[in-house]
Amino acid sequence: MGYRGTEEHKIWLFDLAHENLTDEEILKGIIKYYILSGCRLDNVIDDIVFKTHYDPSGIKEHLIEVLQKAAEKTLE
């Protein structure tokens, strides 16, 4: 599965960096672009830094929050 590096992935990273995604869209992106490729959350941050040049401040914490909500089934 080669979802990382696609145009769709780049758009998702852009939207993530600009806080344009719902928690559900973030979760789906984490799974589609990273988990299914055997990657970790740190890879999301690396991609934001090296592929978009946007500031990743606070993004990892938000990703963890979304994953915790999903694990507790409180995703909005």
Side-chain angles (χ1 to χ4, degrees), residues 8-55:
E8 183 180 310
H9 175 232
K10 292 175 189 175
I11 292 168
W12 182 85
L13 284 172
F14 175 88
D15 286 337
L16 178 65
H18 288 92
E19 300 179 15
N20 295 335
L21 299 173
T22 65
D23 286 353
E24 185 176 348
E25 291 168 327
I26 292 170
L27 180 62
K28 286 179 180 181
I30 292 170
I31 293 168
K32 182 176 183 177
Y33 302 119
Y34 296 92
I35 303 301
L36 293 176
S37 296
C39 297
R40 304 175 310 147
L41 290 183
D42 290 333
N43 297 112
V44 179
I45 303 307
D46 290 345
D47 283 351
I48 290 171
V49 169
F50 297 113
K51 294 183 180 184
T52 70
H53 305 290
Y54 295 114
D55 182 8

Side-chain angles (χ1 to χ4, degrees), residues 66-76:
V66 168
L67 290 170
Q68 287 173 333
K69 285 181 185 178
E72 297 168 4
K73 297 186 181 191
T74 59
L75 192 63
E76 297 175 12

